[in-house]
């Protein structure tokens, strides 16, 4: 029994029979309790109540071998041969899950490392995939349960057949370190409430188009792209973020991004922007003029270490409700000259000492100050400070700010 599981013979269309070694540790643990049966897809579909104690090897045509146990399905085929598995014979309330793998499997490793031990509890399907030693991975999912996490070292991953209609969480969903391009345009995100760390660990990803995402129910994008250090092109335009409260560290460590279009709709409920663009080393300009920030309370390290940032527009930022000091907000912005500042800034020291602001930009900051009584400092670079007249320095002082360099 164990030997059958490990060595699977797959007849190809050419007539050749290929043998694949497939260690499946999580199934081997249960072999002593299982029965074993070969059948066709039609024969399996005709079974009204599949025996959960039986391991079914389903041979569909010449190209596919399907291994089914309970509510989970493992599919193995030649890449680009089988694109769809008919499900009309299956119960609409049952979970259906599968992989389509390429030819390359690690014969001595464990390419199928299931990490969720409650695979079939209450009819819920496997939520965690850890798949290594494959060159091609296609994930097929029907009626998925809530959230799904995929970890793989495959350089090519196909998620175009993944049905995300029922998914509510995409938190920490994809850890695909070798993938350069990924098509997620077909994702249905209507019911998703969190995308925290969604692409965390996708450090080879170069471009990503998420313009079609429906984000109106998402509450958090925290660290969504953190660590995507190779990302050069990213489309997140047109999002409705009316439910969102947290975008902290969203683009943190996106080293190669030169521009990001943030023309979002309904940003008024966002409460923290801490570290949102931190360490975006290549970012040259950023237009946040459409961003309404009246409820934001945290700006910590928002633009820290954006060393290439030359132009920044935050003219509609309203600092009225800022409850914490924006420490390091502009730390390391050594190229920032053109700044359109917001309004109602008060109470906390504002450090722009790393920024070689133009005179116009410096006055944009001073004109955005609000009367305060805590005597904070307004710190400019020496270059910027020298452009200000005594009258302009006095204006800041009259509002309770001491200007220093």
């Amino acid at each position: 029994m164990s030997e059958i599981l490990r060595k699977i013979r797959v007849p190809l269309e050419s007539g050749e029979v290929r043998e694949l070694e497939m260690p499946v540790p999580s199934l081997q643990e249960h072999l002593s309790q299982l029965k074993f049966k070969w059948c066709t897809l039609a024969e399996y579909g005709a079974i009204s109540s599949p025996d959960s104690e039986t391991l079914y090897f389903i041979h569909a045509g010449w190209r596919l071998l399907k291994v089914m146990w309970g509510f989970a399905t493992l599919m193995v085929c030649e890449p680009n041969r089988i694109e769809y598995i008919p499900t009309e014979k299956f119960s609409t309330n049952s979970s259906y899950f599968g992989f389509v793998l390429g030819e390359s499997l690690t014969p001595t490793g464990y390419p199928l490392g299931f990490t969720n031990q409650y695979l079939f509890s209450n009819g819920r399907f496997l939520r965690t995939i850890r798949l290594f030693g494959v060159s091609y991975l296609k994930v097929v999912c029907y009626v998925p349960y809530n959230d799904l996490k995929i970890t793989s070292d495959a350089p090519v991953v196909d998620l175009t057949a993944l049905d995300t209609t029922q998914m509510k969480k995409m938190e920490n969903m994809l850890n695909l370190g070798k993938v350069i391009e990924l098509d997620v345009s077909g994702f249905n995100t209507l019911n998703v409430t969190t995308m925290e760390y969604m692409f965390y660990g996708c450090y080879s990803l170069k471009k990503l188009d998420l313009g079609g995402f429906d984000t109106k129910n998402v509450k958090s994008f925290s660290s969504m792209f953190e660590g995507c250090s190779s990302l050069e092109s990213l489309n997140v335009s047109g999002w409705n973020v009316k439910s969102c409260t947290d975008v902290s560290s969203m683009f943190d460590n996106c080293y190669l991004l030169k521009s990001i279009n943030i023309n979002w709709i309904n940003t008024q409920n966002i409460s923290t922007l801490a570290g949102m663009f931190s360490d975006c080393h290549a970012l040259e300009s950023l237009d946040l003029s459409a961003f309404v920030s009246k409820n934001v309370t945290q700006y910590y390290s928002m633009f820290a270490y954006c060393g290439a940032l030359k132009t920044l527009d935050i003219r509609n930022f309203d600092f009225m409700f800022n409850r914490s000091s924006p420490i390091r907000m502009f730390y390391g912005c050594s190229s920032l000259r053109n700044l359109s500042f917001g309004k109602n800034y008060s109470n906390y020291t504002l450090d722009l000492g790393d920024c070689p602001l133009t005179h116009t930009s410096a006055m944009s900051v001073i004109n955005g100050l609000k009367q305060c009584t805590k005597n904070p400092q307004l710190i400019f670079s020496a270059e910027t400070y020298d452009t200000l007249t005594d009258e302009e320095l006095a204006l800041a002082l009259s509002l309770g700010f001491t200007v220093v360099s």
Side-chain angles (χ1 to χ4, degrees), residues 41 60 64 66 73 75 77 82-88 90 96 100 140 142:
L41 184 63
L64 175 69
K66 188 160 72 169
T73 304
M75 298 177 293
C77 74
I82 296 296
E83 298 296 331
Y84 173 70
I85 304 301
T87 58
E88 59 269 14
F90 295 91
Y96 180 81
V100 177
V140 183
Y142 300 95

Side-chain angles (χ1 to χ4, degrees), residues 234-251:
L234 175 64
N235 181 15
V236 293
S237 61
W239 284 5
N240 186 334
V241 294
K242 68 176 183 179
S243 300
C244 181
T245 60
D246 189 353
V247 291
S248 59
S249 300
M250 184 173 180
F251 306 99

Side-chain angles (χ1 to χ4, degrees), residues 244-248 267-275 291-302 317-327 329 345-346 348:
C244 181
T245 60
D246 189 353
V247 291
S248 59
T267 61
Q268 66 266 21
N269 290 318
I270 294 176
S271 61
T272 175
L273 298 171
F291 207 103
V292 178
S293 66
K294 64 179 182 180
N295 290 317
V296 175
T297 60
Q298 296 182 38
Y299 297 90
Y300 176 82
S301 292
M302 184 176 180
F317 274 31
D318 189 340
F319 295 97
M320 175 72 76
F321 300 100
N322 187 23
R323 299 172 187 168
S324 63
S325 175
I327 300 173
M329 183 175 179
Y345 188 92
S346 64
Y348 300 106

Side-chain angles (χ1 to χ4, degrees), residues 76-370:
V76 183
C77 74
E78 295 295 290
N80 304 319
R81 294 286 186 87
I82 296 296
E83 298 296 331
Y84 173 70
I85 304 301
T87 58
E88 59 269 14
K89 295 286 186 179
F90 295 91
S91 168
T92 55
N93 294 323
S94 67
S95 297
Y96 180 81
F97 191 88
F99 311 117
V100 177
L101 306 181
E103 298 180 30
S104 176
L105 296 176
T106 304
T108 57
Y110 290 91
L112 305 176
F114 297 150
T115 60
N116 188 331
Q117 298 304 309
Y118 300 97
L119 185 56
F120 308 110
S121 175
N122 299 321
R124 300 178 182 182
F125 77 111
L126 181 68
R127 292 196 232 171
T128 303
I129 304 170
R130 292 180 57 81
L131 202 60
F132 299 97
V134 296
S135 59
Y136 172 91
L137 167 63
K138 180 168 182 174
V139 181
V140 183
C141 220
Y142 300 95
V143 198
Y145 178 84
N146 205 5
D147 56 333
L148 173 66
K149 295 176 175 59
I150 305 172
T151 300
S152 177
D153 61 351
V156 180
V157 175
D158 186 348
L159 301 178
T160 56
L162 181 61
D163 183 353
T164 62
T165 306
Q166 303 298 321
M167 291 182 70
K168 296 179 182 178
K169 296 180 180 179
M170 290 186 171
E171 180 180 352
N172 229 341
M173 181 179 178
L174 303 172
N175 191 335
L176 306 171
K178 292 185 179 179
V179 172
I180 295 176
E181 295 185 28
L182 194 63
D183 183 0
V184 292
S185 59
F187 276 24
N188 185 329
T189 58
L190 176 62
N191 295 310
V192 177
T193 59
T194 178
M195 293 184 178
E196 293 184 1
Y197 293 93
M198 183 175 177
F199 296 94
Y200 184 79
C202 295
Y203 52 81
S204 298
L205 199 61
K206 290 190 175 182
K207 62 180 181 179
L208 198 56
D209 187 352
L210 309 181
F213 271 24
D214 187 335
T215 57
K216 62 177 174 289
N217 291 313
V218 178
K219 297 179 181 179
S220 176
F221 297 102
S222 178
S223 299
M224 183 175 181
F225 306 101
E226 184 176 352
C228 291
S229 54
S230 299
L231 201 59
E232 298 175 357
S233 174
L234 175 64
N235 181 15
V236 293
S237 61
W239 284 5
N240 186 334
V241 294
K242 68 176 183 179
S243 300
C244 181
T245 60
D246 189 353
V247 291
S248 59
S249 300
M250 184 173 180
F251 306 99
D252 192 3
N253 292 324
C254 289
Y255 299 142
L256 300 184
L257 272 181
K258 291 186 177 181
S259 63
I260 308 173
N261 187 359
I262 309 287
N263 60 344
W264 293 348
I265 305 169
N266 299 327
T267 61
Q268 66 266 21
N269 290 318
I270 294 176
S271 61
T272 175
L273 298 171
M276 185 177 181
F277 302 97
S278 180
D279 286 294
C280 287
H281 296 169
L283 196 62
E284 297 180 352
S285 65
L286 193 57
D287 184 355
L288 300 178
S289 58
F291 207 103
V292 178
S293 66
K294 64 179 182 180
N295 290 317
V296 175
T297 60
Q298 296 182 38
Y299 297 90
Y300 176 82
S301 292
M302 184 176 180
F303 307 104
Y305 299 105
C306 289
L309 189 63
K310 298 176 182 178
T311 302
L312 175 63
D313 191 338
I314 54 173
R315 69 181 68 184
N316 285 319
F317 274 31
D318 189 340
F319 295 97
M320 175 72 76
F321 300 100
N322 187 23
R323 299 172 187 168
S324 63
S325 175
I327 300 173
R328 300 163 67 93
M329 183 175 179
F330 299 98
Y331 189 83
C333 292
S334 55
S335 300
L336 185 59
R337 291 185 55 78
N338 304 304
L339 173 63
S340 298
F341 199 66
K343 58 185 178 181
N344 292 320
Y345 188 92
S346 64
N347 296 329
Y348 300 106
T349 290
L350 180 59
D351 189 350
L352 290 158
D354 289 339
C355 312
L357 297 179
T358 64
H359 176 263
T360 300
S361 297
M363 289 308 299
S364 172
V365 175
I366 292 176
N367 290 328
L369 302 178
K370 180 187 175 185

